[in-house]
Amino acid sequence: MTAAPAEGVPHPLDLASRSRRSPTVLRILLGTQLRRLRESRHIRLEEAGNAIRASHSKISRMELGRVGFRRRDVADLLTLYGVTDESEREALLSLVAQANAPGWWHKYDDVLPSWFEAYVGLEQAASTIRCYEVQFVPGLLQSPGYAEAVVRLGHPDASDEEVERRVRLRMDRQEVLVRPDPPLLWAVIDEAVLRRPVGGAEVMRAQIEHLLEMISLPRVTLQVIPFSAGGHAAAGGPFSILRFAGVGLPDVVYLEQLTSAIYLEKREDIDRYLAVMERLCLQARPASETARMLRQLMTEL
């Protein structure tokens, strides 16, 4: 008898088409499917590990989508979990190669730290990206000149070639905003972001012009928290919230540090950051005023 598809997880035939072409998300979805199948049969991690000649920790990493998959391992797990229908088995097994395929960002492995690689993959699959920034323009909204200035601040000893590749990676990430099915990007920035002349006055002028172009896109919203607002809700610093509509993934909060990152997935953490984001949007100037504010700032440069 074949195990029924796990509740709350898309049918395996839908996973690839609904992962928005991100192997990172497909890996997580496939792992989630395997976890739901295991739990529906009340099979312990240790038992599953024994079935593929591995430890329970490897099964845990597979179910979290943090490692690649071997077709033989997935086949053995499906047998253990009672999935015997050939069409269902093949649908899941066919996803293994896709989940292991490198994303376009892997060509930047030399300048892409592992802790940020996961974020890029999630960003490419998100349906909504909400972010708050206090020091820099969000990466998805940076102009090439501004991005170069930011990269040189963070990597003062980098060669010109390395700087160019880091900037190119950032520009390639921005393609997500102009594809046929772009995510909703809703960014809130502190006024200090626009007042700080990163790269000098000419670079900032070009950056503000770029922001004016970007907010003309139907799926991009930008709000500015003015100095006059005083203290505000995001006392802890910048963060991003990613949402994945229709693919069975929970929201993710991303917190970037100097040499690492934190990914929060617990419901209570997500709810707290969502509440903070809502308060920030209320404290910020309405999005309808952003263009006027940007033009005013340009006259002051």
Side-chain angles (χ1 to χ4, degrees):
M1 181 177 178
T2 300
E7 183 180 355
V9 179
H11 188 278
L13 290 175
D14 296 332
L15 292 179
S17 62
R18 297 169 70 180
S19 69
R20 289 178 178 251
R21 299 173 295 279
S22 173
T24 302
V25 169
L26 192 53
R27 201 160 53 239
I28 295 171
L29 290 171
L30 182 54
T32 300
Q33 187 84 322
L34 291 173
R35 176 177 61 80
R36 295 291 179 86
L37 287 168
R38 177 179 62 79
E39 291 177 346
S40 71
R41 289 302 182 102
H42 308 289
I43 295 173
R44 295 181 296 111
L45 287 169
E46 291 78 7
E47 294 177 71
N50 290 336
I52 64 168
R53 304 151 296 279
S55 65
H56 70 279
S57 61
K58 179 177 179 179
I59 296 295
S60 180
R61 291 195 300 273
M62 288 174 64
E63 292 180 351
L64 291 171
R66 294 178 180 171
V67 294
F69 296 90
R70 294 174 56 195
R71 184 181 173 93
R72 175 185 172 185
D73 290 344
V74 174
D76 288 346
L77 289 174
L78 292 178
T79 299
L80 178 66
Y81 301 157
V83 181
T84 57
D85 181 84
E86 284 303 319
S87 62
E88 186 177 351
R89 287 176 64 89
E90 189 53 39
L92 282 165
L93 289 171
S94 68
L95 298 180
V96 173
Q98 297 177 57
N100 289 336
W104 62 259
W105 51 91
H106 282 259
K107 64 184 178 182
Y108 295 105
D109 277 350
D110 56 322
V111 295
L112 182 63
S114 58
W115 51 265
F116 188 59
E117 178 183 328
Y119 177 80
V120 175
L122 292 171
E123 181 181 75
Q124 296 297 303
S127 60
T128 302
I129 303 169
R130 302 182 71 179
C131 62
Y132 167 71
E133 285 287 349
V134 66
Q135 185 172 4
F136 299 117
V137 171
L140 288 178
L141 297 176
Q142 291 180 7
S143 66
Y146 185 94
E148 179 180 346
V150 172
V151 168
R152 290 191 182 279
L153 282 174
H155 304 274
D157 299 324
S159 65
D160 289 343
E161 180 182 2
E162 180 183 337
V163 169
E164 182 181 356
R165 284 185 57 71
R166 291 183 181 277
V167 172
R168 188 69 260 161
L169 167 61
R170 197 159 301 186
M171 297 301 104
D172 284 354
R173 283 173 53 205
Q174 295 179 7
E175 292 296 315
V176 73
L177 298 178
V178 294
R179 71 187 185 192
D181 57 341
L184 170 65
L185 173 63
W186 191 338
V188 179
I189 61 175
D190 195 276
E191 183 176 346
V193 171
L194 301 173
R195 296 286 183 181
R196 182 175 290 107
V198 175
E202 288 303 314
V203 169
M204 281 306 299
R205 186 174 289 108
Q207 174 61 67
I208 293 176
E209 289 176 347
H210 184 68
L211 287 175
L212 286 167
E213 293 177 8
M214 297 304 290
I215 62 175
S216 69
L217 296 174
R219 300 281 288 173
V220 175
T221 297
L222 177 65
Q223 289 184 263
V224 180
I225 299 181
F227 290 145
S228 59
H232 51 73
F239 62 91
S240 297
I241 305 173
L242 305 181
R243 175 160 291 177
F244 310 89
V247 294
L249 287 183
D251 296 348
V252 173
V253 170
Y254 173 77
L255 306 172
E256 186 170 319
Q257 301 174 328
L258 189 61
T259 58
S260 62
I262 298 174
Y263 295 83
L264 302 178
E265 300 177 17
K266 292 183 179 179
R267 190 67 256 172
E268 57 266 32
D269 291 332
I270 303 297
D271 289 344
R272 184 170 182 181
Y273 275 91
L274 284 171
V276 169
M277 181 60 79
E278 292 300 327
R279 292 201 297 272
L280 286 171
C281 291
L282 292 174
Q283 291 177 291
R285 302 283 275 278
S288 60
E289 297 182 14
T290 299
R292 182 185 60 78
M293 188 174 186
L294 291 174
R295 293 189 183 98
Q296 176 61 36
L297 284 168
M298 284 189 66
T299 66
E300 300 174 14
L301 287 172

